[in-house]
Amino acid sequence: MRAIITALIIFSSLTINTAHAKLKVTTPSEVCAYLKDFGLATRGWKNHYENVYGCSSPYKELGSGFPLANNLAFYVEGDNTTARQTKLVLNVNNCESEKPAHEELLKAAEALSVKATGESLPKTLRDAIKTGKNTTAKVGSAFMEVIRENWPTGKGYEIKVLIK
């Protein structure tokens, strides 16, 4: 019984904290431009469906590779007036050059963290990006998450860095 009560307390505290978590700036045009100087300019805030809006950059190729180079893209999601989440997605198509791809993701994530939260990327998140491990941390008034998904083909993976 004590374990159930403890679990409920932890769950409710996470739910309460998540409800108050947010980006430092939520104006879509500002958030969509965060990584423009990093080569990840977006195509502007657009309605995707119903009340789901967002912007995205084209894929930025990192090096070369066969059949595809590793690549990085930037996404922002929200509603018609508010950006609620940013996301960097690294696709590792060429595992032989994964280390420089992780470094490029790390640079973009550090820049995004400062702009989206007002704070530097914590060491736990930097380490997770370098090693491709899953983790979550609170940064300023936002939550950041690193998620690695291995592809079913076994020929690559993606790493997402979310800030919400």
Side-chain angles (χ1 to χ4, degrees):
M1 183 66 156
R2 182 176 250 183
I4 293 171
I5 293 170
T6 303
L8 287 172
I9 291 169
I10 291 170
F11 176 76
S12 64
S13 70
L14 289 174
T15 305
I16 291 167
N17 287 339
T18 303
H20 297 292
K22 64 179 186 171
L23 303 176
K24 183 177 143 186
V25 173
T26 59
T27 307
S29 60
E30 286 184 61
V31 179
C32 289
Y34 276 169
L35 297 179
K36 181 181 176 185
D37 294 338
F38 197 80
L40 295 169
T42 67
R43 297 169 219 153
W45 198 243
K46 298 184 184 336
N47 180 233
H48 296 300
Y49 58 92
E50 295 177 5
N51 196 30
V52 177
Y53 287 71
C55 62
S56 62
S57 72
Y59 290 111
K60 176 182 177 181
E61 288 195 359
L62 308 174
S64 61
F66 181 80
L68 295 169
N70 297 332
N71 57 60
L72 180 64
F74 174 54
Y75 302 87
V76 181
E77 298 167 359
D79 61 31
N80 64 332
T81 61
T82 307
R84 300 200 187 284
Q85 173 179 294
T86 66
K87 177 171 51 175
L88 286 164
V89 178
L90 172 68
N91 291 304
V92 177
N93 301 303
N94 180 357
C95 292
E96 291 177 8
S97 62
E98 69 185 340
K99 185 172 177 159
H102 283 239
E103 289 297 323
E104 193 74 12
L105 175 61
L106 179 59
K107 289 177 197 172
E110 287 177 335
L112 184 58
S113 179
V114 170
K115 290 184 179 192
T117 71
E119 296 190 23
S120 296
L121 197 62
K123 183 178 182 335
T124 55
L125 290 167
R126 285 194 316 269
D127 291 345
I129 291 168
K130 288 178 187 175
T131 59
K133 305 262 174 154
N134 296 336
T135 195
T136 304
K138 189 161 192 298
V139 182
S141 63
F143 281 98
M144 291 185 73
E145 189 171 9
V146 176
I147 303 167
R148 177 180 169 144
E149 294 180 15
N150 294 320
W151 296 336
T153 61
K155 295 182 180 181
Y157 57 91
E158 76 176 15
I159 298 176
K160 298 176 194 169
V161 177
L162 298 146
I163 303 176
K164 50 187 171 181

